[in-house]
């Protein structure tokens, strides 16, 4: 009966979000109320679970998510992303322009939230397409594959960051393993798959062809990369350092301090404020205005994560999570495959990768606690599943269609296939890594 209630609750969430288009945060709260009443919980217990769940989830995440948004805004508005793209295209040349765009998407996709990265990078793709006389879809898919992978796999993006906390994984380890899984996913979904897309020669929609910043207004290449990748450098560097120094040494303590995600993101934001703003003569008021805008940009995502935390807490307080965990263990299914499958199913139903990943984590987290599977791989497998088969209920599907001026049919053949490749290859990478870690 308890499992039936959970299934009905997930179906209700799908109905409210995908069909009625209800605000996702409100939908989560309605589902929590329905689940609690169906399981015979008192109304006071339900509301307490909701408050506890939101507080526990956002308490550990909101700082990282907000700082990540601030850094992304600085990288976007300063022209750092444009500088990185120009520099890489100069290095790779016309013959390997796809690889330069793919690498650009990966670098700037780490600090930029997906929707912001999409809107920022697509005009750059159109500029390169006009310059090289190559189809925009052919050039765009590799870059957008990179953005999708960083969005689904890598901290400090909201869903992976939340999954790290739910599964009890180490953020630095998750980032390192995530990069290992990300590389084949991006290459196969990007340059390899896009070889079959040269026939899509539609002109991009003129509305979205935004003018680039003048060259003299861009920050230097070194400063641009340092600003965008500082979180990666600190997280990955400290994680590697802790593997080779003694646990009781001063170096280990320094690495632990510098590798704390909150400290990492705080340092990254301060670094971005200085080298992308104040050092270039941008007034303090304007820089702080950008940071305020970044908070507004991410507010909806914060509410969604809070709502998912409420649902997770409901599963715990009602003891349904124990029943589900027991039932899923009896299936004798690989936890990585199970996490991927549930996330993929919710993704196809709801359309939101963030909702799919966080809902899945709430359902299967009890299994991870009692298994020998690497929690970082659970984060990555769930993230990979949350990218599966983007279609008409996903905003990214329609953004790609409109920006690249495609039909719905052609959007399925390009965008949807790319997202599916990213998801399936990600699962394969996690299963392969599970043999060694």
């Amino acid at each position: 009966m308890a499992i039936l209630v959970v299934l009905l609750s997930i179906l209700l969430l799908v109905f409210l979000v995908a069909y009625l288009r209800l605000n996702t945060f409100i939908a989560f709260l309605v589902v929590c109320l329905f689940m609690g009443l169906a399981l015979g919980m008192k109304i006071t217990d339900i509301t307490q679970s909701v408050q506890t769940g939101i507080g526990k989830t956002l308490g550990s995440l909101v700082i990282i998510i907000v700082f990540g948004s601030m850094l992304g805004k600085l990288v976007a508005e300063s022209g750092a992303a444009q500088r990185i793209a120009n520099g890489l295209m100069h290095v790779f040349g016309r013959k390997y322009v796809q690889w330069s765009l793919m690498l650009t998407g990966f670098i700037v996709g780490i600090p930029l939230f997906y929707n912001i990265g999409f809107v920022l990078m697509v005009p750059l793709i159109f500029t390169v397409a006009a310059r090289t006389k190559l189809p925009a879809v052919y050039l765009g898919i590799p870059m957008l594959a990179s953005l999708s992978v960083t969005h689904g796999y890598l901290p400090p993006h909201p869903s992976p960051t939340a999954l790290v906390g739910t599964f009890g994984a180490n953020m630095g380890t998750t980032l390192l393993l995530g990069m290992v899984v990300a590389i084949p996913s991006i290459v196969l979904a990007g340059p390899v798959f896009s070889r079959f897309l040269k026939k899509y020669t539609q002109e991009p929609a003129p509305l979205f062809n935004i003018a680039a910043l003048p060259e003299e207004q861009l920050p230097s290449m070194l400063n641009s990369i340092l600003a965008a990748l500082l979180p990666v450098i600190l997280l990955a560097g400290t994680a590697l350092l802790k593997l080779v120094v003694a646990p009781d040494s001063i170096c280990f303590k320094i690495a632990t301090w510098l590798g704390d995600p909150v400290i990492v993101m705080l340092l990254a934001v301060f670094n971005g404020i200085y080298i992308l703003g104040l050092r270039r003569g941008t007034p303090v008021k304007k820089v702080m205005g950008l940071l305020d805008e970044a908070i507004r940009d991410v507010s909806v995502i914060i509410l969604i994560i809070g709502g998912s935390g409420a649902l997770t807490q409901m599963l715990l307080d009602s003891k349904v999570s124990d029943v589900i965990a027991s039932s899923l263990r009896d299936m004798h299914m690989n936890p990585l495959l199970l996490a991927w499958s549930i996330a993929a199913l919710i993704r196809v139903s709801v359309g939101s990768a963030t909702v799919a990943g966080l809902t899945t984590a709430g359902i299967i987290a009890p299994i991870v606690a009692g298994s020998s599977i690497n929690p970082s791989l659970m984060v990555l497998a769930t993230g990979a599943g949350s990218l599966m088969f983007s279609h008409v209920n996903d905003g990214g599907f329609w953004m790609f269609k409109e920006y690249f001026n495609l039909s719905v049919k052609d959007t399925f053949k390009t965008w949807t296939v790319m997202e599916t490749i990213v998801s399936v290859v990600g699962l394969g990478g996690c299963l392969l890594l599970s043999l060694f870690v």
Side-chain angles (χ1 to χ4, degrees):
M1 181 63 185
I3 294 178
L4 177 62
V5 169
V6 172
L7 291 175
L8 289 175
S9 299
I10 293 174
L11 290 175
L12 177 60
L13 180 64
V14 171
F15 176 74
L16 293 176
V17 174
Y19 184 75
L20 295 184
R21 305 292 182 184
L22 187 66
N23 176 277
T24 307
F25 178 68
I26 296 175
F28 267 120
L29 298 187
V30 171
V31 168
C32 288
L33 184 62
F34 168 79
M35 180 186 294
L37 293 174
L39 293 172
M41 294 177 65
K42 296 178 181 178
I43 190 67
T44 52
D45 293 337
I46 295 173
T47 55
Q48 183 61 49
S49 290
V50 168
Q51 294 174 38
T52 301
I54 293 174
K56 283 171 56 178
T57 303
L58 293 183
S60 59
L61 295 179
V62 70
I63 297 175
I64 299 171
I65 293 170
V66 169
F67 280 162
S69 180
M70 289 178 176
L71 179 60
K73 194 73 172 179
L74 291 169
V75 170
E77 296 292 336
S78 67
Q82 185 180 328
R83 169 64 75 190
I84 292 169
N86 291 347
L88 289 175
M89 282 188 289
H90 179 73
V91 171
F92 282 87
R94 186 182 188 281
K95 184 177 180 181
Y96 299 104
V97 65
Q98 282 186 303
W99 292 84
S100 66
L101 290 173
M102 180 189 74
L103 190 55
T104 300
F106 188 74
I107 293 173
V108 304
I110 291 172
L112 283 179
F113 289 137
Y114 184 78
N115 288 342
I116 299 172
F118 190 108
V119 173
L120 171 71
M121 301 312 294
V122 164
L124 180 63
I125 293 169
F126 296 165
T127 301
V128 176
R131 187 187 308 171
T132 59
K133 307 300 181 184
L134 292 170
V137 172
Y138 170 76
L139 294 175
I141 284 293
M143 177 177 278
L144 297 177
S146 293
L147 292 178
S148 288
V149 167
T150 55
H151 170 66
Y153 293 10
L154 303 180
H157 282 266
S159 182
T161 301
L163 293 175
V164 165
T166 303
F167 289 127
N170 177 272
M171 192 168 291
T173 302
T174 302
L175 186 60
L176 288 172
L177 294 178
M179 289 188 170
V180 173
V181 175
I183 291 171
S185 301
I186 293 171
V187 170
L188 291 176
V192 174
F193 170 59
S194 63
R195 290 182 181 179
F196 304 98
L197 305 180
K198 287 187 176 181
K199 64 180 180 180
Y200 296 99
T201 56
Q202 292 91 333
E203 286 293 320
L207 175 65
F208 305 117
N209 207 343
I210 303 170
L213 289 174
E215 187 76 12
E216 62 272 12
Q217 293 183 18
L218 302 179
S220 70
M221 185 67 168
L222 178 62
N223 286 343
S224 299
I225 292 179
L226 181 60
L229 291 186
L230 187 60
V232 177
I233 294 169
L234 289 176
L235 284 171
T238 52
L240 290 173
L241 182 61
K242 289 168 71 174
L243 294 176
V244 298
V245 299
D248 57 348
S249 66
I250 186 66
C251 288
F252 189 92
K253 293 177 181 178
I254 293 174
T256 301
W257 191 86
L258 286 177
D260 185 281
V262 173
I263 301 300
V264 165
M265 295 310 300
L266 178 62
L267 293 175
V269 169
F270 277 141
N271 179 64
I273 289 172
Y274 177 65
I275 67 174
L276 297 181
L278 304 182
R279 185 178 177 183
R280 300 176 63 226
T282 306
V284 174
K285 185 176 180 180
K286 183 176 180 180
V287 175
M288 295 304 111
L290 291 176
L291 302 188
D292 291 341
E293 289 178 22
I295 296 173
R296 290 194 292 270
D297 291 341
V298 80
S299 59
V300 173
I301 297 174
I302 290 174
L303 286 176
I304 291 174
I305 293 175
S308 73
L311 182 60
T312 299
Q313 192 65 36
M314 286 293 301
L315 291 168
L316 293 172
D317 291 348
S318 64
K319 306 299 182 183
V320 173
S321 59
D322 295 336
V323 177
I324 294 173
S326 177
S327 300
L328 293 178
R329 286 193 191 99
D330 293 339
M331 294 173 62
H332 302 293
M333 189 175 183
N334 186 304
L336 296 173
L337 180 59
L338 181 63
W340 182 90
S341 301
I342 296 175
L345 181 61
I346 298 174
R347 156 71 160 184
V348 171
S349 302
V350 176
S352 169
T354 302
V355 172
L358 298 178
T359 304
T360 300
I363 294 172
I364 67 168
I367 297 178
V368 181
S371 73
S372 59
I373 201 76
N374 189 304
S376 293
L377 293 181
M378 289 297 296
V379 173
L380 298 174
T382 305
S386 73
L387 299 175
M388 181 66 176
F389 199 79
S390 166
H391 62 99
V392 294
N393 62 0
D394 177 22
F397 178 93
W398 295 104
M399 288 174 67
F400 184 83
K401 175 190 177 299
E402 295 302 322
Y403 272 70
F404 287 84
N405 203 19
L406 298 174
S407 66
V408 171
K409 181 180 178 181
D410 286 342
T411 307
F412 270 107
K413 291 181 178 179
T414 54
W415 170 264
T416 302
V417 174
M418 179 271 287
E419 289 280 85
T420 301
I421 293 172
V422 162
S423 178
V424 174
V425 175
L427 171 64
C430 291
L431 292 173
L432 187 60
L433 282 177
S434 68
L435 300 176
F436 305 99
V437 297

